[in-house]
Amino acid sequence: IAGITQAPTSQILAAGRRMTLRCTQDMRHNAMYWYRQDLGLGLRLIHYSNTAGTTGKGEVPDGYSVSRANTDDFPLTLASAVPSQTSVYFCASREATGADTQYFGPGTRLTVL
Amino acid sequence: GQNIDQPTEMTATEGAIVQINCTYQTSGFNGLFWYQQHAGEAPTFLSYNVLDGLEEKGRFSSFLSRSKGYSYLLLKELQMKDSASYLCAVMDSNYQLIWGAGTKLIIKP
């Protein structure tokens, strides 16, 4: 079934540890996004990529990095996790031929202790 | 600045009609999206409006007034499965989505 997969589904992480959240899509979408969702704050954009080989910073990029080596994969790395990074992380993608729809992965629930 | 406002929570009765409002101020406008998000799940696309007026899709309709910076999502014949959060998002001039905080809809029997 075509779509977006994320791994892991959930993770408990000690503060200071490095962690990479994985995101893969098989729809050949050009643009990909990483959001975090916290209660009462809605979805906030962390980083995005409009096409393979390019990335950009969103609203809350500090403490996170991304890469886009190919069309399908868009990993998000926390270099040194802090408790304020406890959140639900969603990866999304869109074809990017205009004002088209973003489709979301199932999310990763991350707890940093 | 950019801002999207929607009510935090609404309650409605099974079988009834409910209207969820969204007002926005954004830099550029390439359309307004509504998503549904059940607890513990990912957002899923419901509707898209770029021109003024009403778009109907089964039990769900979405309305847009660009001059007023206003949209609403209308849900008819409410079912228990419609209990979810409804997210309003505006696509700005860079084709990025600016998100509201979401409206939690509680359906009572």
Side-chain angles (χ1 to χ4, degrees):
Chain A
I1 298 177
I4 303 176
T5 58
Q6 293 184 234
T9 301
S10 65
Q11 182 76 42
I12 299 174
L13 190 66
R17 298 296 295 268
R18 181 183 179 89
M19 176 73 192
T20 295
L21 308 185
R22 299 184 298 279
C23 174
T24 300
Q25 53 101 1
D26 63 0
M27 298 177 283
R28 308 302 293 172
H29 282 175
N30 290 310
M32 297 187 75
Y33 306 86
W34 274 107
Y35 293 96
R36 60 177 290 173
Q37 187 175 40
D38 303 290
L39 199 62
L41 293 180
L43 288 160
R44 291 184 291 170
L45 183 64
I46 304 170
H47 284 287
Y48 65 93
S49 169
N50 287 329
T51 189
T54 69
T55 62
K57 293 181 179 180
E59 178 187 358
V60 288
D62 293 345
Y64 305 94
S65 63
V66 291
S67 61
R68 185 90 184 275
N70 57 59
T71 297
D72 299 343
D73 301 300
F74 191 43
L76 176 74
T77 298
L78 289 67
S80 179
V82 294
S84 62
Q85 292 178 312
T86 294
S87 188
V88 180
Y89 291 85
F90 288 104
C91 179
S93 73
R94 70 181 185 95
E95 195 171 358
T97 54
D100 44 25
T101 302
Q102 283 191 20
Y103 296 94
F104 284 79
T108 293
R109 184 174 296 274
L110 181 68
T111 302
V112 182
L113 302 176
Chain B
Q2 306 200 101
N3 193 51
I4 296 183
D5 288 316
Q6 50 182 133
T8 302
E9 187 175 295
M10 299 181 70
T11 302
T13 304
E14 189 177 17
I17 299 172
V18 71
Q19 177 175 311
I20 303 173
N21 296 324
C22 172
T23 58
Y24 64 88
Q25 288 181 304
T26 57
S27 57
F29 181 83
N30 276 306
L32 187 143
F33 292 79
W34 285 95
Y35 281 76
Q36 181 189 59
Q37 185 177 25
H38 285 103
E41 297 183 7
T44 56
F45 169 74
L46 282 178
S47 69
Y48 170 68
N49 295 67
V50 67
L51 299 176
D52 289 353
L54 189 68
E55 294 279 345
E56 297 186 78
K57 193 183 294 184
R59 293 188 299 114
F60 292 7
S61 303
S62 55
F63 172 83
L64 175 67
S65 170
R66 289 173 297 172
S67 63
K68 295 182 179 178
Y70 168 69
S71 174
Y72 67 73
L73 180 69
L74 191 71
L75 291 73
K76 302 177 185 176
E77 301 169 13
L78 287 170
Q79 301 175 10
M80 297 304 293
K81 67 178 182 179
D82 297 330
S83 292
S85 289
Y86 292 85
L87 314 181
C88 174
V90 171
M91 183 167 275
D92 69 11
S93 55
N94 294 316
Y95 296 97
Q96 304 284 10
L97 284 178
I98 311 300
W99 295 86
T103 298
K104 182 178 181 180
L105 179 63
I106 299 167
I107 310 296
K108 294 186 174 180

